[in-house]
Amino acid sequence: MRKLILFATVVLAATVMPSAVASAAVPVGHAPAAAPTAAELLAKTTGCQQVSNGKYKTDEDASSDTVAVCDANGAVFWKADMDIDCDGQRTTQCNENTDCCFQNDTAFHQSDDQPLDAAKLPYIVVPSASGKWNYESSQLQGGGSCAVIYNDKVEYAVIGDTGPTGIIGEASYATANDLGINPDPSNGGTDSGVTYICFKNSQVSPIEDHGSATSTGQGLATTFVNNN
């Protein structure tokens, strides 16, 4: 008799528990919040509290300095063009033959100490520190989380490389490709329309984990929208 009672108890538990577990795993009314849209992020970048000491050129041959780095609550941002960075690991897309200015290194490295893979990893380039602006003074660092916005698309990337002290607006082959921008290092990029938002005191680890960069960036972007 005790065996029959025990058997009945086990069968009842097996019948009830899956639905109970499912209810506990996905509480009604507690679905994950959606990440901010491109429009929601851009709405928080309409003004500029300039933090850079002057402005940057978008290209070496640009006639004037037009891009300011702007401070915000929890982030800094700038609006510029996008040149293609193909530095780092040699790949089919990025090498001495495809890019006249190819360098086989990046300022920040993967967790195995290898340079970043520009063809695979979405990353952006920040200007090297100078009297105009030092990204570290704005609480940014290698592997920091950034949202890159173009044509109503949002790509979450990391700070992966540093560039010239007087030029701003550059991102990896993968960043451009994911945003629908021509990623070819010899003739790609876009002349305008790109907004870069980099979140202070953030870091994606490991730097090469784009999934982590996306989830981290989405959370920080939500906080940015809510706090500005």
Side-chain angles (χ1 to χ4, degrees), residues 118-162:
K120 181 180 179 182
L121 180 69
Y123 69 75
I124 75 157
V125 181
V126 294
S128 296
S130 70
K132 184 167 290 188
W133 180 56
N134 180 350
Y135 63 92
E136 291 182 325
S137 68
S138 290
Q139 290 81 58
L140 304 184
Q141 60 185 322
S145 175
C146 303
V148 187
I149 305 158
Y150 178 75
N151 272 1
D152 294 326
K153 293 182 179 180
V154 182
E155 173 74 323
Y156 291 97
V158 293
I159 296 174
D161 206 357
T162 57

Side-chain angles (χ1 to χ4, degrees), residues 149-226:
I149 305 158
Y150 178 75
N151 272 1
D152 294 326
K153 293 182 179 180
V154 182
E155 173 74 323
Y156 291 97
V158 293
I159 296 174
D161 206 357
T162 57
T165 57
I167 299 173
I168 203 167
E170 188 175 6
S172 68
Y173 182 108
T175 307
N177 192 53
D178 287 355
L179 286 170
I181 296 171
N182 178 2
D184 191 314
S186 64
N187 60 24
T190 184
D191 290 336
S192 62
V194 184
T195 299
Y196 303 79
I197 304 172
C198 289
F199 305 109
K200 298 176 181 178
N201 299 309
S202 64
Q203 188 167 39
V204 175
S205 182
I207 190 174
E208 67 270 20
D209 186 345
H210 182 50
S212 180
T214 299
S215 58
T216 298
Q218 288 176 337
L220 292 168
T222 299
T223 301
F224 172 75
V225 168
N226 290 338

Side-chain angles (χ1 to χ4, degrees), residues 13-115:
T15 303
V16 173
M17 283 183 67
S19 60
V21 170
S23 296
V26 187
V28 176
H30 289 275
T37 64
E40 288 171 331
L41 288 167
L42 292 175
K44 304 299 182 177
T45 65
T46 54
C48 180
Q49 181 180 336
Q50 187 168 324
V51 69
S52 57
N53 183 25
K55 296 182 179 181
Y56 285 91
K57 290 184 176 182
T58 54
D59 295 290
E60 187 174 350
D61 59 356
S63 59
S64 59
D65 304 342
T66 57
V67 180
V69 178
C70 308
D71 195 33
N73 189 3
V76 295
F77 64 89
W78 56 94
K79 300 181 179 185
D81 64 342
M82 182 182 288
D83 297 322
I84 307 303
D85 188 327
C86 235
D87 293 340
Q89 296 184 35
R90 287 184 179 84
T91 61
T92 301
Q93 300 89 346
C94 297
N95 56 66
E96 293 88 346
N97 295 322
T98 62
D99 183 1
C100 67
C101 307
F102 175 77
Q103 299 181 46
N104 63 350
D105 201 4
T106 49
F108 308 108
H109 286 185
Q110 297 180 162
S111 55
D112 61 2
D113 202 33
Q114 293 298 306

